[in-house]
């Protein structure tokens, strides 16, 4: 009986050991399943977070690209306006120069006519009358032509400045809007 009891004890110990091993294996399997689930969930969450980050980065990059395009387009518009204003100013200055030259030439011709008239005078009174008439006509012509030149210069300034003023108005409108708009 002692042998049977020893064998029974050994079997009991083996059975307990097997139960403990089975329990440990089950616990290990459960822990592995839990760890795998946690890793899969973590990977899925990381993938979603990374995708959202990439979408946000793409959206931000597109916004910067759009802003850069708009800035480049605005710069081109400014350059075109400056070119147009410069062309208008150059052309207008040439016209003003021609008008000034024509005025100077007309005054010079009038002076030559007066000099010829003075060369044929017979008395001092006649010379004084010719000289007074010349001075009066020259002054009137000079004032009249100067007023015309001044008016033409003001018109030129308005016309040449119009493209720049339009760009300035556009800039104020564009940059006074909120950035989100």
């Amino acid at each position: 009986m002692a042998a049977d009891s020893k064998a029974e004890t050994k079997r009991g110990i083996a059975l307990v050991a097997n139960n403990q091993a089975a329990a440990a294996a089950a616990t290990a399997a459960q822990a592995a399943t839990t760890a795998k689930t946690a890793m899969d969930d973590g990977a899925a969450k990381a993938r979603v977070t990374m995708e959202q980050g990439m979408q946000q980065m793409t959206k931000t990059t597109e916004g910067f690209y759009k802003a850069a395009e708009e800035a480049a387009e605005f710069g081109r518009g400014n350059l075109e306006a400056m070119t147009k204003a410069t062309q208008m100013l150059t052309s207008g200055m040439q016209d003003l120069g021609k008008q000034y030259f024509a005025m100077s030439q007309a005054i010079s011709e009038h002076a030559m006519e007066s000099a010829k008239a003075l060369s044929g005078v017979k008395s001092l009174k006649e010379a004084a009358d010719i000289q007074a008439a010349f001075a009066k006509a020259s002054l009137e012509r000079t004032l009249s032509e100067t007023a015309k030149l001044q008016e033409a210069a003001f018109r030129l300034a308005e016309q040449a400045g119009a493209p720049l003023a339009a760009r300035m108005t556009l800039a104020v409108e564009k940059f006074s809007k909120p950035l989100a708009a």
Side-chain angles (χ1 to χ4, degrees), residues 78-99:
N78 288 346
L79 185 60
E80 289 171 4
M82 184 63 95
T83 302
K84 187 174 182 179
T86 302
Q87 288 172 341
M88 292 173 94
L89 185 62
T90 302
S91 175
M93 290 302 284
Q94 288 174 348
D95 290 344
L96 283 176
K98 288 175 186 176
Q99 289 176 17

Side-chain angles (χ1 to χ4, degrees), residues 97-107 145:
K98 288 175 186 176
Q99 289 176 17
Y100 178 77
F101 181 74
M103 178 186 81
S104 297
Q105 190 174 12
I107 290 173
E145 293 296 322

Side-chain angles (χ1 to χ4, degrees), residues 2-161:
D4 277 340
S5 138
K6 266 187 183 182
E8 223 23 66
T9 304
K10 281 185 182 179
R11 243 189 274 150
I13 292 173
L15 195 56
V16 169
N18 279 343
N19 284 343
Q20 286 178 348
T27 303
Q30 180 68 29
T33 303
T34 303
K36 184 177 183 321
T37 302
M39 285 177 42
D40 289 345
D41 287 347
K45 287 179 183 176
R47 179 179 293 122
V48 168
T49 301
M50 188 178 295
E51 287 174 356
Q52 289 173 344
M54 290 300 290
Q55 288 173 352
Q56 184 62 36
M57 188 182 303
T58 300
K59 185 178 177 182
T60 301
T61 302
E62 287 172 354
F64 283 138
Y65 182 70
K66 182 180 177 187
E69 281 182 332
E70 288 176 0
E73 184 62 33
F74 190 76
R76 274 193 292 278
N78 288 346
L79 185 60
E80 289 171 4
M82 184 63 95
T83 302
K84 187 174 182 179
T86 302
Q87 288 172 341
M88 292 173 94
L89 185 62
T90 302
S91 175
M93 290 302 284
Q94 288 174 348
D95 290 344
L96 283 176
K98 288 175 186 176
Q99 289 176 17
Y100 178 77
F101 181 74
M103 178 186 81
S104 297
Q105 190 174 12
I107 290 173
S108 295
E109 287 174 2
H110 186 259
M112 291 298 285
E113 290 172 9
S114 293
K116 285 181 188 176
L118 279 174
S119 67
V121 296
K122 307 245 188 289
S123 71
L124 192 55
K125 178 166 178 8
E126 189 180 348
D129 289 342
I130 291 174
Q131 185 61 32
F134 168 73
K136 181 181 177 191
S138 292
L139 181 63
E140 288 173 354
R141 177 177 266 167
T142 300
L143 292 175
S144 170
E145 293 296 322
T146 301
K148 289 178 188 176
L149 282 174
Q150 239 179 355
E151 185 179 320
F154 284 131
R155 269 196 319 268
L156 173 61
E158 286 177 347
Q159 291 171 351

